[in-house]
Amino acid sequence: MTKRFGFTLAEVLITLGIIGVVAAMTMPTLMNSTQGAQYKAAYKKALSAIAQGVTLNVALDGNSFADVTTAEGIKDILAARMNVVNGADEVGTIPYETAPTLLTQGANNYTLYFSDGIVFSFAGPTAGKVCSDPDQDSGISNGEKCKGFVDVNGLKGPNKVVECSNAQAAGVDAAQHTADCEVKNPTDIYPVVYYDQTILPNSQAAKAVLYGK
């Protein structure tokens, strides 16, 4: 007699069940990792694009962040060199619960929507100030570092400020944690500080995403 080798129906079902369980366990992690990498890349792209925009404006028009006194002036600099599809002034028009804590209180505020889906919300300088580094010997006596945030995917979720993963269990401010910040799952909102021709991260978590591996 000829012997035939194969799998029984029960064996096939058990194997498929095991595959399904493993897939269910690994897929969320894989998806979060992929999405986090996209957020990270878009964040770096946004900072580079904004910095290039103001540098180009300095070269062509001679104006940097330090040469205007309102958020409207900052908007004009960026809109002249970048593809802005929409803009809204005043902090109340910014659809983010985190906006009041990420922007300078009492300053005029503005939000720019770029064609690639990135949003830049920022506070203009406070009265009598300009966006310039007060620690540098630039000859500008009324300089201050201005605040804002970048949302790398616009109004789409999760609309969550990036945090240090290793600070959450300690019960401290996860966004500003200073001891070896690690961000395992990058999110879509990144605090920034801008002045002169510079835009930089404005939290330890945002720094970890930009400068980390």
Side-chain angles (χ1 to χ4, degrees), residues 162-168 173-184 203-209 211-213:
V162 67
E163 297 180 346
C164 300
S165 304
N166 53 334
Q168 294 174 358
D173 187 339
Q176 295 291 343
H177 188 52
T178 57
D180 299 322
C181 175
E182 178 185 3
V183 179
K184 294 181 179 179
S203 73
Q204 293 301 320
K207 292 177 183 177
V209 174
Y211 303 128
K213 297 180 179 179

Side-chain angles (χ1 to χ4, degrees), residues 7-199:
F7 298 104
T8 65
L9 178 61
E11 291 173 330
V12 172
L13 292 176
I14 290 172
T15 301
L16 291 176
I18 293 173
I19 294 174
V21 171
V22 172
M25 293 174 61
T26 58
M27 283 301 293
T29 301
L30 180 61
M31 292 179 65
N32 286 338
S33 177
T34 301
Q35 195 170 46
Q38 292 175 342
Y39 291 154
K40 184 176 180 179
Y43 168 50
K44 292 183 177 181
K45 174 185 174 183
L47 293 191
S48 176
I50 293 170
Q52 289 177 11
V54 68
T55 299
L56 182 60
N57 199 75
V58 170
L60 296 178
D61 292 339
N63 292 330
S64 72
F65 293 140
D67 295 305
V68 293
T69 58
T70 64
E72 181 75 17
I74 301 295
K75 184 268 295 184
D76 290 340
I77 287 176
L78 296 177
R81 307 302 168 198
M82 302 179 67
N83 194 352
V84 176
V85 296
N86 192 16
D89 58 358
E90 299 181 0
V91 69
T93 64
I94 302 174
Y96 296 97
E97 294 180 0
T98 53
T101 60
L102 296 178
L103 301 178
T104 303
Q105 298 301 297
N108 48 8
N109 299 284
Y110 215 96
T111 297
L112 293 180
Y113 299 80
F114 299 115
S115 59
D116 56 4
I118 292 172
V119 170
F120 180 35
S121 293
F122 53 94
T126 53
K129 299 282 189 176
V130 294
C131 297
S132 181
D133 186 356
D135 300 324
Q136 297 295 322
D137 186 15
S138 60
I140 298 177
S141 60
N142 60 336
E144 66 177 359
K145 293 182 179 180
C146 296
K147 295 181 180 180
F149 64 89
V150 171
D151 186 336
V152 301
N153 63 348
L155 301 184
K156 293 174 58 179
N159 286 335
K160 182 179 179 182
V161 181
V162 67
E163 297 180 346
C164 300
S165 304
N166 53 334
Q168 294 174 358
V172 299
D173 187 339
Q176 295 291 343
H177 188 52
T178 57
D180 299 322
C181 175
E182 178 185 3
V183 179
K184 294 181 179 179
N185 296 310
T187 48
D188 56 342
I189 294 181
Y190 296 84
V192 298
V193 60
Y194 69 96
Y195 52 90
D196 300 317
Q197 301 178 45
T198 303
I199 180 167

